[in-house]
Amino acid sequence: MKITINGKTVEAQKGQNVLQAAVANGIYIPHLCYHEKVGAAGKCRACVVEIEGMRGLQTSCSVPVRDGMVINSTSDDALHAQKLVIDLMLSSGTHDCLVCEQNGNCELQDAAYFLGIERASLQYGDICREFDTSSEFVYVERNKCISCGRCVAACNNTVVNQVLDFGYRGHSTEIVFDTDKPMADSNCVQCGECSQMCPVGAIVDKNSRGKGRTWELDKVETVCPYCGVGCKLELHIDRKLNKIVKIKGVEDAPTNKGMLCVKGRYGFDFVSHPERLTTPLIKENGQFREASWEEAIELVATKLSGIRDKYGADTIMGLASAKVTNEENYTFQKLMRTAIGTNNVDHCARL
Amino acid sequence: MAGLAASFGSGAMTNDISGMKDSDVALIIGSDTSEAHPVISARIKQAVIEGKTKLIVIDPKEIKMADFATIYACQRPGTDVAVFNGMMHVILKNGWEDKEFIKNRVEPESFNALKTEVEKFTPEYVEKISGIPAKTLENIAELFGKAKVAALYYAMGITQHTTGVDNVKSTANLQMLCGNMGVPGGGVNPLRGQSNVQGACDLGGLPVVYTGYQQVVNPDVHAKMEKFWEVKLNIKAGMPMTVAFDKAYDGEMKAFYIMGENPMISDPDLHHAEAALKNLEFLVVEDIFMTETARLADVVLPATTFAEKDGTFTNTERRVQILNKAVCAPGQAKHDWEIHQLLANKMGLSWNYNNAEEIFCEITAVTPSYAGMSYKRLGRMGLHWPCPTADHPGTPVLHVGKFSKGLGTMFAIPFRAPAEIPDADYPTYLTTGRILQQFHTGTMSRKTEGLNNLAGPHAMISVEDAERIGVQNSGDVKVTTRRGSIVTKAFITKRIPKGTAFVPFHFWEAPANKLTNNALDPVAKIPEYKVCACKLEKA
C-alpha cells in the first residue's frame, strides 16, 4: 500500500504501524519505548505525529498504517509535542553524555540532536537514586532511566525471566528487580537482555564501561562458541588493543533475535587471557619447553608415522572437536584418514 | 544419533528454532533447558506465556522450566523408557494415536511390535518403575496425545544412559505414534550442547562415516573418497573414543591426537581416563589453553579461538552459519586447519588451502547435504542442511511427507534398569549435568572471573538428605561412589527429590566424573553419566 509521510509518498506493508513504515523508508521520528522486539508500548509519547482525519496527535508506534494515509511528523504541533516530551526526559535525571557508555549510541541523545535541544529547560532534577553495582555483569544507573519500559517488557516477555518490573508510583516510579532487591540478590540470571534493550545509559554492561566508545570500536558479527543454539554475536573490538571489549546479540539473527545468555554475552575473557598458549611445547624429562613450529611438526609427524609403521594405523586415535569449525573438523578427519590411514576419529558429542 | 538414524534414517534435530512457537504442546524430558540452552528456553517460554503452547516437563530435578509447565513429573533417573511406553500405552488405549500417519508413514509390522510391547506398561506398572503417579502419567498422555501438534525436546538427560539408544528410539516412537513428524512445531528435537557438535558429526568427526554420514564401510563411498582425495583409504570402521580409552588402558592403542577437547574433565571415571592417556606412547594435544589433558601430552600445539578465525559452525537446528575473524591470534598460535596442513604435508601429502572458504568449497564438493552451500549463499543468516543444490532453499523441517529412509520404523523397547542403582552401601542416585554459568570442562568459561563468582563447584542435595546427614547449606559434603569421592559445597534445594543428588561436571576441583560410571550404551557407546549410585556424608 502507499502512504504519504511529510509530503513524500512511500510504500508500506499491511500490519506495519506508522512508525515502522517511517523507519523502513528512512524517515526518522523520535521514539524511545518502541522496539521491534517488544512492540508498541505507547508510553513515551516521543513519536507523536499528525494524521489526516484523526483528531489530535497520535503515537505513531500504535497506529496501524492504512492505504492512502497522510502523515505529518514534522508539523509545528508534532515537533512541539516531541520537543516537550524529550525536554521533560532530559530535565529529570542525570543525562550527562560525557562519560556515558551510550554516548553515540543513545536514542535519547539522537532525539535531542534531531530536535535541536541543547539543554533541558525544566530543571527539576530531584531524582537521585543509588547506583546498583551489585551484580557481576550489569551496571544499573537509575538516574539515567527514562521509564520507557523496554527492559521490563524484554525481561518478562522476550527472555521471560520475569525479574524486572516497575516499582513505586508516579514521579517515584523506577525499575526494580524482584521485590526491589539489589540486582545480585534477585533471581536475575544476567542474560543482559535489559542492557541490550536499554535506549539510554541506565543499564549497561559493567565490564565494558570505560573500555571504548561505540565509534572507536569495530563491530564484527560471528557465532557464539558455547552451546549449540548458534546465537549470533556482534563483537565490539578495540583494534589498538586487539581485544573484545563488549558483545551484543544480533537483533535480526533467526537463532537468537538479539538474546544471549550470561556466557555468550559476558564470558569472553578467555580470548585475550594471559594463559593462552602462544607457542608449540615439547615435553622433555617431564617438563614442557618452547619449540618452533618446524620442530614440533617434525616431531609429531615422525612419531605418528613411526607408530603407524610399527603397530599399524589403527593403534592411533584422533579426537576431533565440537568446539572448532566445520572446516577444521574436515581437515582433521582428512588428516587421520589420508595421512595416517585410520578411521579412528571421534569427538565428544556424547559427553 | 544412532537411535534416530534407525527410526527415521537421519540423526539430527528434525525441526527448527523459529518453529518452536507453533507447538500446541511441548514436552521437555532430559533437558535442563534454561541452564544448558538458555536462548531456546526463552523461545519455549515465550510460546507458553503467549498462551499458544502448553508445556510438560519430566525430569528428576524440578528444573526452572517446570515453573512454566502445565504438568511437571519427577521420574526416577534412568526410567525414561518406561515413561514413554506408559504414555504410548495410554494414548493407544484411548485411540489418541494418529492413525492416518501410522498407516501412511510407518512400517506396519514395527507398529504392531510396539503395540504389543507397550501393552503391559499400564500407568500403575509405570508408577512402580518410575515413581510418577499413575494419574499424572495419564494426564501427560492425554495432554500430549490430544495435541494437534506437539514437539519433543531432549538433551543428554535422554542419551547419557546405558539405555541411551533405547531412550532416543522411544522419543521417535512417540512422535510417530502421534503424527508429530514433518510438521512445523513438532518433531524430535535433541538439543546439541556445543557450538559445533552438529558440524563435527556432519564433517566426518565420527569413526564410521565420512562427511554427510557417508558410511566408511560402504564400497561405493570408499571408492568415491579414494578418488576424491587421491589416496588409498582404510575401509575398516574406526572405534569410538570411549572404546579407544579402554584399549589405551589395556595398552593396545599407542597414540592419541586430541584437538580442542578435554577428556580429563569430560570422560567418565577420570582415574581410568588418566591411566589410559599415561599409558600411551605418544599424545599430542592441540588447544588454546594448557588444559588438564594437555598437561599429559608429549607435544602441545597452540590453536586459535572462535574470535580469531573465519569458518562455519552448524548449530543444533542444522543451520550452517559463518564465523568472521574479529581479533588476531596471540603469539604463534595457528588455526587448526593450518596445523593439519603442515602435518599432512610433512607426512608426504600436498595440501594447499589458503583459507577456510577453500576448505568449505571442498566440503560441498563431497558432501551431498552441504552441496548447495557456499559462503556467499550462507551470508548473514546461514542455511539449514540438507541443501543439495545451489538453488535449494535449505530444509528447516526434516521428514516432510517422507522419512529419509522411506517408511519410519518403530521399535518395541523393553525397560532395562540402569547399570548401577542405589543399594544399601550407596543408597542415593547421583546424576550429573550442566549449570548456566559454566560450559563443559570450563576451559573457556572459567577464565571469566564473574562467571566463577556466580557459580562454583557444588552438589545439589535434597532437604531431607541434608537433614539426614547433618549438612548445612554451603557446608562441605562428601560424595562417594564405587569409582571415587569428592568433597564439595552442599547446595540444599527443594528442587531435587529425596534420594537423588546432582553434581555439575565443569569443575576440576570437584570433578563429577571422578564419580560417574563408565558403563556404556551397547550401540552408541555413550557413558551413563546420568545415573549411578552414591553415598552422601558430612565432610
Side-chain angles (χ1 to χ4, degrees):
Chain A
M1 67 179 80
K2 295 236 183 297
I3 59 171
T4 306
I5 308 181
N6 303 343
K8 192 174 150 198
T9 303
V10 296
E11 208 45 61
Q13 312 300 321
K14 193 167 179 285
Q16 278 182 326
N17 58 52
V18 171
L19 179 61
Q20 282 175 321
V23 170
N25 285 287
I27 298 163
Y28 176 71
I29 303 172
H31 60 278
L32 290 156
C33 68
Y34 174 82
H35 186 281
E36 204 180 334
K37 195 154 60 176
V38 293
K43 272 172 70 76
C44 76
R45 326 301 286 182
C47 70
V48 289
V49 296
E50 282 188 51
I51 299 175
E52 273 189 27
M54 296 177 86
R55 224 179 329 156
L57 295 169
Q58 303 292 323
T59 46
S60 60
C61 69
S62 59
V63 179
V65 288
R66 267 183 293 108
D67 195 31
M69 201 177 236
V70 179
I71 298 136
N72 193 340
S73 71
T74 53
S75 68
D76 288 349
D77 279 358
L79 282 178
H80 180 75
Q82 290 167 12
K83 272 187 187 163
L84 185 65
V85 168
I86 300 301
D87 197 351
L88 282 166
M89 285 181 185
L90 290 170
S91 300
S92 62
T94 36
H95 301 288
D96 305 328
C97 300
L98 291 180
V99 292
C100 182
E101 273 309 298
Q102 287 287 77
N103 188 6
N105 206 22
C106 172
E107 295 173 42
L108 181 60
Q109 196 181 50
D110 292 346
Y113 181 81
F114 175 78
L115 296 166
I117 305 174
E118 172 69 28
R119 252 173 245 295
S121 58
L122 313 148
Q123 277 301 351
Y124 64 109
D126 58 343
I127 296 178
C128 188
R129 299 180 174 124
E130 278 182 28
F131 293 10
D132 186 341
T133 62
S134 64
S135 85
E136 288 293 337
F137 296 114
V138 184
Y139 186 93
V140 184
E141 192 177 340
R142 289 190 175 86
N143 293 333
K144 286 190 162 70
C145 177
I146 54 169
S147 294
C148 70
R150 271 196 210 171
C151 59
V152 172
C155 187
N156 288 284
N157 305 330
T158 305
V159 287
V160 202
N161 287 324
Q162 304 177 331
V163 173
L164 266 167
D165 206 340
F166 283 113
Y168 310 103
R169 290 182 165 215
H171 190 57
S172 306
T173 301
E174 59 179 80
I175 49 163
V176 296
F177 302 98
D178 289 340
T179 50
D180 199 12
K181 291 179 179 168
M183 195 180 199
D185 299 339
S186 74
N187 281 309
C188 171
V189 293
Q190 310 210 27
C191 68
E193 180 70 11
C194 51
S195 134
Q196 170 110 6
M197 296 292 280
C198 183
V200 295
I203 307 183
V204 298
D205 299 332
K206 196 176 186 177
N207 297 338
S208 307
R209 293 178 67 241
K211 301 271 173 69
R213 298 169 135 179
T214 183
W215 60 85
E216 298 171 318
L217 303 173
D218 272 1
K219 319 284 192 307
V220 181
E221 271 188 25
T222 192
V223 184
C224 181
Y226 287 109
C227 83
V229 177
C231 295
K232 288 207 76 181
L233 312 175
E234 186 185 76
L235 308 184
H236 294 207
I237 310 298
D238 181 332
R239 283 277 167 241
K240 292 193 285 288
L241 297 175
N242 185 42
K243 206 170 169 179
I244 304 169
V245 297
K246 181 185 169 79
I247 292 182
K248 290 194 82 168
V250 174
E251 281 294 332
D252 64 350
T255 44
N256 57 311
K257 304 256 182 233
M259 293 181 280
L260 294 173
C261 74
V262 64
K263 298 184 294 295
R265 195 182 294 278
Y266 302 120
F268 54 81
D269 289 0
F270 73 92
V271 174
S272 52
H273 197 275
E275 287 169 23
R276 279 286 301 277
L277 296 172
T278 56
T279 172
L281 300 169
I282 292 175
K283 197 181 268 171
E284 271 175 4
N285 306 320
Q287 295 289 315
F288 282 114
R289 66 161 174 86
E290 294 187 355
S292 69
W293 273 107
E294 290 76 36
E295 189 187 5
I297 292 292
E298 176 78 43
L299 178 64
V300 175
T302 312
K303 279 282 187 183
L304 291 181
S305 312
I307 288 171
R308 176 194 58 199
D309 297 343
K310 188 167 166 198
Y311 304 104
D314 286 338
T315 63
I316 302 173
M317 179 78 203
L319 292 194
S321 174
K323 300 170 191 81
V324 311
T325 62
N326 286 328
E327 290 76 3
E328 291 166 325
N329 274 300
Y330 178 82
T331 53
F332 185 77
Q333 56 96 36
K334 184 175 172 182
L335 177 76
M336 294 304 295
R337 290 183 158 121
T338 61
I340 293 169
T342 180
N343 289 308
N344 289 341
V345 189
D346 201 358
H347 68 285
C348 71
R350 302 176 189 83
L351 307 183
Chain B
M1 206 189 74
L4 290 188
S7 299
F8 304 138
S10 167
M13 180 161 159
T14 63
N15 285 54
D16 66 332
I17 293 173
S18 305
M20 289 179 175
K21 62 181 185 334
D22 301 322
S23 313
D24 296 310
V25 168
L27 166 63
I28 295 177
I29 180 164
S31 153
D32 192 349
T33 323
S34 59
E35 298 286 312
H37 300 89
V39 169
I40 280 181
S41 84
R43 295 295 189 104
I44 298 171
K45 289 187 284 184
Q46 284 170 14
V48 171
I49 62 163
E50 279 161 18
K52 167 71 180 162
T53 304
K54 287 199 164 62
L55 180 63
I56 303 167
V57 172
I58 306 176
D59 201 284
K61 272 190 300 175
E62 192 178 338
I63 56 173
K64 213 174 270 175
M65 292 305 280
D67 301 352
F68 293 84
T70 303
I71 308 175
Y72 163 68
C74 167
Q75 85 277 43
R76 282 188 196 109
T79 60
D80 306 281
V81 165
V83 174
F84 285 120
N85 283 352
M87 281 176 73
M88 291 187 281
H89 172 98
V90 178
I91 287 167
L92 282 164
K93 200 174 129 199
N94 290 283
W96 295 325
E97 75 274 19
D98 188 333
K99 296 171 188 77
E100 199 58 25
F101 185 93
I102 295 165
K103 197 177 110 201
N104 297 328
R105 301 280 307 268
V106 179
E107 290 169 355
E109 60 280 16
S110 77
F111 171 59
N112 290 333
L114 174 80
K115 227 160 82 176
T116 314
E117 180 61 41
V118 303
E119 223 157 81
K120 66 170 177 282
F121 285 85
T122 61
E124 293 71 27
Y125 178 59
V126 174
E127 176 170 348
K128 278 193 200 126
I129 298 172
S130 72
I132 296 176
K135 186 68 198 149
T136 306
L137 189 79
E138 282 171 10
N139 292 341
I140 289 171
E142 178 168 7
L143 186 58
F144 195 87
K146 284 183 168 176
K148 201 158 156 255
V149 54
L152 194 156
Y153 300 99
Y154 68 80
M156 294 305 198
I158 281 294
T159 54
Q160 285 175 343
H161 291 275
T162 46
T163 57
V165 171
D166 285 353
N167 289 349
V168 170
K169 283 178 176 167
S170 298
T171 67
N173 283 345
L174 177 65
Q175 285 299 61
M176 286 191 277
L177 187 75
C178 296
N180 288 323
M181 298 305 301
V183 285
V188 174
N189 301 294
L191 304 176
R192 309 307 301 254
Q194 300 180 60
S195 54
N196 200 32
V197 66
Q198 186 63 53
C201 294
D202 295 349
L203 274 302
L206 293 168
V208 291
V209 288
Y210 294 106
T211 67
Y213 308 96
Q214 304 176 83
Q215 297 290 326
V216 160
V217 295
N218 179 322
D220 296 336
V221 170
H222 184 252
K224 168 185 159 179
M225 294 310 297
E226 283 198 334
K227 189 165 166 228
F228 186 77
W229 280 337
E230 298 174 335
V231 287
K232 277 265 162 252
L233 292 169
N234 187 338
I235 197 166
K236 201 175 133 230
M239 70 181 81
M241 98 186 225
T242 36
V243 176
F245 269 89
D246 285 345
K247 294 204 174 201
Y249 186 83
D250 296 339
E252 274 181 61
M253 296 301 286
K254 301 298 179 191
F256 273 29
Y257 183 166
I258 301 179
M259 163 174 76
E261 296 287 4
N262 190 9
M264 280 307 300
I265 296 284
S266 63
D267 261 41
D269 191 355
L270 292 177
H271 288 303
H272 177 86
E274 181 170 359
L277 291 180
K278 283 185 170 162
N279 204 22
L280 292 168
E281 279 191 20
F282 189 63
L283 173 62
V284 49
V285 171
E286 186 171 301
D287 214 313
I288 55 173
F289 286 105
M290 184 57 79
T291 62
E292 290 73 13
T293 305
R295 277 185 239 284
L296 302 178
D298 297 291
V299 180
V300 179
L301 305 172
T304 55
T305 67
F306 82 108
E308 290 142 7
K309 60 177 89 170
D310 296 320
T312 56
F313 279 168
T314 304
N315 78 346
T316 187
E317 52 163 358
R318 298 168 283 104
R319 186 191 292 271
V320 183
Q321 302 192 103
I322 289 185
L323 280 76
N324 294 299
K325 178 181 168 175
V327 289
C328 298
Q332 300 174 47
K334 284 188 189 293
H335 301 312
D336 297 279
W337 68 263
E338 292 179 309
I339 302 172
H340 305 154
Q341 177 154 294
L342 285 173
L343 269 171
N345 290 341
K346 182 63 77 179
M347 294 176 83
L349 298 170
S350 48
W351 292 11
N352 188 25
Y353 304 117
N354 293 300
N355 54 49
E357 190 171 1
E358 287 181 14
I359 302 168
F360 194 80
C361 284
E362 183 173 319
I363 292 168
T364 59
V366 75
T367 312
S369 53
Y370 281 61
M373 296 181 189
S374 62
Y375 274 21
K376 187 155 174 259
R377 278 203 74 200
L378 293 178
R380 287 184 62 239
M381 299 302 167
L383 283 165
H384 295 271
W385 67 254
C387 175
T389 55
D391 55 0
H392 191 284
T395 313
V397 180
L398 290 179
H399 312 303
V400 178
K402 188 170 172 286
F403 289 109
S404 311
K405 70 194 280 282
L407 289 178
T409 308
M410 290 177 163
F411 290 91
I413 299 175
F415 171 71
R416 281 191 291 129
E420 185 182 76
I421 51 173
D423 56 18
D425 296 335
Y426 297 92
T428 306
Y429 278 111
L430 174 69
T431 183
T432 67
R434 291 185 179 183
I435 53 173
L436 171 67
Q437 298 84 0
Q438 298 290 354
F439 181 73
H440 214 238
T441 68
T443 305
M444 299 191 293
S445 63
R446 296 204 67 192
K447 301 296 186 297
T448 295
E449 196 190 335
L451 293 174
N452 291 335
N453 294 343
L454 287 173
H458 63 265
M460 272 175 90
I461 61 174
S462 69
V463 179
E464 294 87 343
D465 289 323
E467 282 173 355
R468 179 174 57 79
I469 61 172
V471 169
Q472 301 286 315
N473 209 9
S474 296
D476 284 339
V477 59
K478 185 175 175 194
V479 187
T480 308
T481 68
R482 288 184 177 84
R483 273 72 55 193
S485 78
I486 60 169
V487 174
T488 187
K489 301 267 176 250
F491 172 34
I492 301 168
T493 168
K494 286 182 180 160
R495 287 190 180 264
I496 203 152
K498 180 185 159 193
T500 302
F502 169 86
V503 178
F505 77 97
H506 312 291
F507 304 98
W508 57 264
E509 309 93 316
N513 286 327
K514 256 172 114 173
L515 308 172
T516 46
N517 191 353
N518 64 354
L520 301 181
D521 180 280
V523 179
K525 309 293 181 196
I526 190 168
E528 190 145 64
Y529 285 151
K530 297 304 184 202
V531 201
C532 68
C534 74
K535 180 168 65 181
L536 302 174
E537 292 163 293
K538 186 176 177 175

